Every structure is written in C-alpha cells, then in structure tokens.
C-alpha cells in the first residue's frame, strides 16, 4: 500500500477554508472560534497531527468527534491510560486461536509450515493505530489523553505518526493508503515530549468566556430560555473560580441546562440549585465550598 501525498479526511468533503471549518463544525453543534477553525484547517492542509491541550472538560475530545461528523469520517479512538502497551495500541495476534490451530495441525507436519500458517492476516487483531492506518476511507484518529500513557507509548506514536506506516515482522510493512486526520488530546497531567510536539500543530483550549458558553448552551439545548442560559453560565463561571477538586466541564453545563428543563424549571434560584447541584459538582467538599463561599443552594 502507498501513502497519499495529499491527506484528505473528507472524501471530497474536506474543509475548504477556516470559515468552512467553523460553519461545518457549527452544523454538528460545536462552536469553534477563529483559533480553533484555523488550526483544524491547517492540520488538514499540512497533513500534521493536531495536539489539543487544556483542562478536562473544555471540548478537546468533542472537537475530534465534531471533525469526524463534519467530514463524514469514521472516528477511531485510542484511549490512553497508564500501562497501555503496543499490543493494545497497535496490534497483536490472537494467541488462543493460534494455539487451537497448532493443536489441530497434523502431528507429522513441519513446524515451519504451521508457524507460517498461524502468523497470517486471519490471526491478526488490529488495534486503533493499525486500524486507522489500514482504512482507505476518511478517518479521524483520536489519541485521547496521551498524557496518561507511559513515556514509552510516545515512542510508538512517533514511529507511527512520522511515516504513517507500521512494520509487522510476520506480514511486512503496512503503509497508509490515506492519512487519517489525527487529534491528540492532553490534560497536561505531564509534559509530552518535545519530539512529539514538533510533529504536531498545537492548540490550547480553555474554558470558554461566558458569552461563548451561553451560545453553546442555546445551540445544544433546544427550548432553554436565554435568561436561564445566562444564569447557568454565570453560576458555572463562579464555580470554576473556586478552589475545588473538579471544575464543571462544558458538557456538565449543558447537562445542567437539560436537567432544569426536564424538571420544568426556568429559573436558577436557590431551590433549583439545591436540587440539582450534583449535576455539575461531583464531590461533597466542592458542594460544601460552593454553599459556603457563593451561598448556592443554602
């Protein structure tokens, strides 16, 4: 297989400009500012992975999902965690199936023949990285929370993302027919290597300004009144300013709006907060601090 020199994630529907990015992401419910739209467009044009860094809950993962939806691409996700290894990220062979094949082989058969038979495509289990490389259709590869993986995984990512190819000793080298659009997210729990950063375009996301978050709530929660949306985002901004264990995410702001609608509430008063604060604050100590310092739900 050979590598396209012009990476394309959209199968004829790739983004035509930063403005096109913003418009089409908005069509999926993701409101992108100029920095986001421009960086996504450049990542497509330059064929580079996009490293998106920022605190949890600011829309990093959702950006990859929105790009996939906007371009008609399949989303393939590699969720990173401590202990992630090559077998889980790239590929491994189905050892149980191989063992059964060995047991079923004739007793007088040469081992080399059996060996060659069990290290074939039939026994290969592709994991997210290999699956993304082998796809010939438009693909968005999401490498989520890369900072949670061990440093050794970065070496694997460097190898795969530099040439978009993988060498499987028993089967040969698999080279991408079509480069996936790659999004790598990080919560900055640890610093990613400079080598990995050099290969990426960088985008930092933070919690949106209240006006932007109000627009997000209105776009994603049909039926919510503007006054309620304003109250929600103002309250959430105040919560994020506290020293709490887990600041509310954008998704939790949206969930709070949906919760209030489901309860038939159109005002975020003390009674409403007392009944629903658990939607946005998931630690008792955070709720107690909010009541004490902001008087919420008291």
């Amino acid at each position: 297989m050979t590598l396209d020199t012009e990476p394309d994630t959209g199968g004829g529907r790739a983004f035509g400009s930063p403005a096109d990015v913003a418009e089409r992401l908005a069509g999926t419910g993701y409101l992108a500012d100029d920095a986001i739209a421009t960086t996504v467009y450049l990542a497509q044009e330059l064929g580079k992975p996009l490293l998106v860094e920022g605190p949890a809950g600011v829309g990093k993962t959702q950006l990859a999902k929105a790009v996939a939806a906007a371009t008609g691409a399949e989303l393939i996700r590699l969720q990173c965690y401590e202990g992630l290894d090559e077998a889980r990220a790239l590929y491994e062979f189905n050892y149980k199936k191989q063992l059964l094949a060995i047991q079923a082989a004739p007793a007088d058969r040469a081992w080399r023949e059996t060996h060659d038979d069990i290290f074939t495509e039939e026994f290969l289990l592709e994991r997210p990285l290999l699956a993304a490389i082998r796809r010939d259709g438009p693909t968005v590869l999401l490498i989520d929370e890369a900072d949670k993986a061990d440093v050794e995984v970065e070496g694997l990512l460097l190898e795969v993302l530099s040439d978009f190819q993988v060498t499987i000793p028993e089967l040969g080298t698999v080279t991408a027919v079509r480069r996936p659009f790659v999004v790598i997210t990080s919560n900055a729990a640890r610093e990613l290597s400079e080598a990995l950063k050099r290969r990426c375009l960088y985008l930092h996301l933070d919690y949106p300004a209240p006006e932007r978050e109000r627009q997000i709530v209105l776009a994603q929660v049909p039926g919510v009144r503007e006054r309620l949306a304003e109250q929600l985002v103002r309250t959430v901004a105040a919560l994020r300013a506290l020293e709490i264990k887990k600041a509310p995410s954008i998704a939790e702001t949206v969930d709070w709006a949906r919760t209030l609608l489901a309860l038939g509430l159109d005002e975020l008063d003390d009674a409403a907060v007392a009944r629903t604060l658990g939607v946005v604050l998931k630690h008792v100590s955070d709720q107690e601090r909010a009541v004490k310092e902001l008087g919420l739900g008291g």
Side-chain angles (χ1 to χ4, degrees), residues 7-233:
D8 175 15
T9 62
R13 300 170 58 201
F15 303 118
S17 66
D20 185 36
V21 173
E23 181 180 350
R24 292 170 65 181
L25 291 186
T28 73
Y30 192 98
L31 302 184
D33 60 21
D34 289 342
I36 295 173
T38 300
T39 309
V40 168
Y41 176 71
L42 291 176
Q44 171 198 266
E45 290 300 292
L46 301 177
K48 286 183 172 291
L50 175 57
L51 172 59
V52 188
E53 197 168 58
V58 295
K60 303 184 297 295
T61 299
Q62 192 60 39
L63 175 58
K65 294 179 179 179
V67 170
T71 59
E74 177 176 338
L75 179 72
I76 296 180
R77 180 175 182 173
L78 172 63
Q79 179 63 53
C80 296
Y81 54 87
E82 186 177 352
L84 177 69
D85 59 12
E86 182 174 327
R88 293 297 177 183
L90 192 55
Y91 75 91
E92 64 181 327
F93 283 95
N94 189 330
Y95 300 116
K96 291 183 179 180
K97 189 174 181 180
Q98 287 177 319
L99 181 59
L100 290 174
I102 292 172
Q103 293 173 338
D108 58 349
R109 190 181 192 189
W111 164 244
R112 178 170 294 278
E113 294 181 34
T114 301
H115 176 277
D116 291 344
D117 283 347
I118 63 174
F119 285 97
T120 60
E121 180 76 26
E122 178 186 355
F123 296 88
L124 185 69
L125 297 175
E126 62 178 25
R127 301 308 185 193
L129 293 180
L130 180 58
I133 287 177
R134 297 178 75 181
R135 270 186 52 81
D136 57 6
T139 305
V140 172
L141 170 61
L142 169 60
I143 302 172
D144 213 7
E145 298 183 304
D147 54 320
K148 289 187 176 180
D150 300 324
V151 176
E152 291 76 14
V153 173
E154 287 191 42
L156 174 62
L157 294 179
L158 288 172
E159 180 182 353
V160 172
L161 299 180
S162 60
D163 298 317
F164 286 92
Q165 66 180 29
V166 173
T167 298
I168 303 174
E170 298 83 1
L171 300 177
T173 298
V174 179
T175 303
V177 173
R178 182 177 195 159
R179 288 191 181 188
F181 186 104
V182 181
V183 178
I184 304 172
T185 74
S186 168
N187 296 333
R190 70 170 177 84
E191 190 74 19
L192 298 178
S193 71
E194 291 300 322
L196 180 60
K197 287 186 175 182
R198 281 198 302 271
R199 285 163 173 77
C200 302
L201 295 186
Y202 180 80
L203 177 66
H204 183 270
L205 294 185
D206 208 339
Y207 295 112
E211 175 57 25
R212 170 68 66 172
E213 191 159 17
R214 186 185 68 84
Q215 293 172 352
I216 293 171
V217 170
L218 292 173
Q220 296 196 11
V221 188
V224 68
R225 300 175 65 175
E226 291 203 19
R227 172 178 167 79
L228 179 58
E230 179 68 29
Q231 291 176 326
L232 280 169
V233 300

